[in-house]
Amino acid sequence: MSGRLLSFLEENRPANIDVDCVWGYLILLVRDEELTIQELMEEYQEFLSGKKCGSQGISFMSNWDGTMRAGVGMNKETCDEDLFLNHWKRVMDQYEENYGY
């Protein structure tokens, strides 16, 4: 993991407040699990294929009603799943364009 990835995720927070709350857990996941951009892309693909991803501590799950939730333990935040996934994909693509893998 690089500090550059964490800084980039922080600098590119979503405008939607609900999505931003869930985005904070994505930043925690990257920091706590020391993910690289490749591993973050794998997490994204895992979510798309199984509607869940994360670690034992930080989880992301689809609610099957167009929303998703993320959090640690009982502390969960909910947001629009499409908005979150679109932002996640856009930020990863921009990072790859700027810095490569």
Side-chain angles (χ1 to χ4, degrees):
M1 174 199 62
S2 75
R4 181 185 325 172
L5 177 57
L6 276 176
S7 295
F8 193 81
L9 295 174
E10 283 285 354
E11 291 165 6
N12 289 280
R13 294 186 79 101
N16 180 289
I17 187 114
D18 293 329
V19 176
D20 185 59
C21 288
V22 174
W23 189 255
Y25 285 107
L26 186 74
I27 292 170
L28 284 175
L29 178 68
V30 169
R31 188 192 71 206
D32 291 354
E33 298 296 320
E34 299 182 354
L35 299 181
T36 63
I37 187 64
Q38 296 92 343
E39 292 166 328
L40 184 57
M41 290 177 173
E42 290 169 9
E43 290 290 333
Y44 176 81
Q45 290 302 321
E46 184 178 331
F47 187 89
L48 290 181
S49 65
K51 296 297 184 184
K52 63 181 179 177
C53 68
S55 65
Q56 288 184 344
I58 302 167
S59 63
F60 298 82
M61 299 186 77
S62 176
N63 288 330
W64 302 103
D65 65 355
T67 64
M68 64 175 292
R69 67 183 184 275
V72 177
M74 297 298 292
N75 298 322
K76 301 282 193 253
E77 299 290 341
T78 302
C79 72
D80 180 277
E81 186 173 314
D82 286 338
L83 288 176
F84 182 83
L85 292 176
N86 289 336
H87 185 77
W88 188 355
K89 176 77 167 110
R90 189 173 64 250
V91 169
M92 288 188 308
D93 288 347
Q94 187 64 51
Y95 185 89
E96 181 182 1
E97 183 178 313
N98 291 357
Y99 306 110
Y101 289 115

